């Protein structure tokens, strides 16, 4: 079983959560709870970096949708970073890409969220 690793760094006061590995039924719960915990601290924005994700299924999509909804309720800007078809294709196929702010790299996301 591939483990999903998460690392949180900060740019300005924006948390950047970088995920590495596979997002599936087994690994999505800790990710969802970590993102919810970060949102509870009311940061100016939140970025999830999925460039190192090797598997992205329906649970990953659900985690992003839930986080987007929670961010909207709290008035916090939320962005997703990915340059990988593994992540982007399922988002496009489910039209979730229309719901999220998607960027190719973290700098672009931070710049857009800070504006």
């Amino acid at each position: 079983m591939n483990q999903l690793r998460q690392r949180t760094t900060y740019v300005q006061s924006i948390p950047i959560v970088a995920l590495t590995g596979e997002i599936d039924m087994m690994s999505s719960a800790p990710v969802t709870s970590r993102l919810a915990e970060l949102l509870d601290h009311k940061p100016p924005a939140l970025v999830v970096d999925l460039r190192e994700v090797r598997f992205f299924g329906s649970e990953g999509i659900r985690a992003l949708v839930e986080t987007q909804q929670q961010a909207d309720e709290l008035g916090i800007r939320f962005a997703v970073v990915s340059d990988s078809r593994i992540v982007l294709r399922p988002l496009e196929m489910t039209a979730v890409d229309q719901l999220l702010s998607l960027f190719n790299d973290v700098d672009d996301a931070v710049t857009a969220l800070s504006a």
Side-chain angles (χ1 to χ4, degrees):
M1 183 182 101
N2 266 322
Q3 202 172 9
L4 182 70
R5 292 193 313 278
Q6 47 182 311
R7 188 181 78 248
T8 305
T9 56
Y10 288 82
V11 175
Q12 292 145 18
S13 50
I14 299 174
I16 316 289
V17 180
L19 302 176
T20 304
E22 302 186 356
I23 303 177
D24 55 24
M25 285 175 65
M26 301 301 290
S27 65
S28 69
V31 170
T32 307
S33 63
R34 175 67 178 144
L35 296 174
E37 178 189 317
L38 286 166
L39 286 173
D40 285 344
H41 291 105
K42 306 267 193 306
L46 175 62
V47 176
V48 177
D49 181 354
L50 302 178
R51 289 175 300 175
E52 299 293 320
V53 168
R54 292 186 304 278
F55 175 82
F56 185 78
S58 59
E59 288 297 312
I61 293 170
R62 188 183 59 73
L64 293 181
V65 170
E66 279 182 20
T67 302
Q68 181 67 64
Q69 290 169 338
Q70 189 180 356
D72 288 345
E73 285 167 20
L74 296 168
I76 297 168
R77 296 165 137 200
F78 175 59
V80 177
V81 175
S82 179
D83 53 8
S84 146
R85 285 186 60 75
I86 291 169
V87 172
L88 296 176
R89 186 92 179 105
L91 292 177
E92 288 163 6
M93 290 173 65
T94 55
V96 172
D97 63 330
Q98 306 298 310
L99 183 73
L100 302 170
S101 297
L102 292 167
F103 296 90
N104 286 330
D105 77 37
V106 170
D107 291 342
D108 289 349
V110 169
T111 300
L113 295 176
S114 301

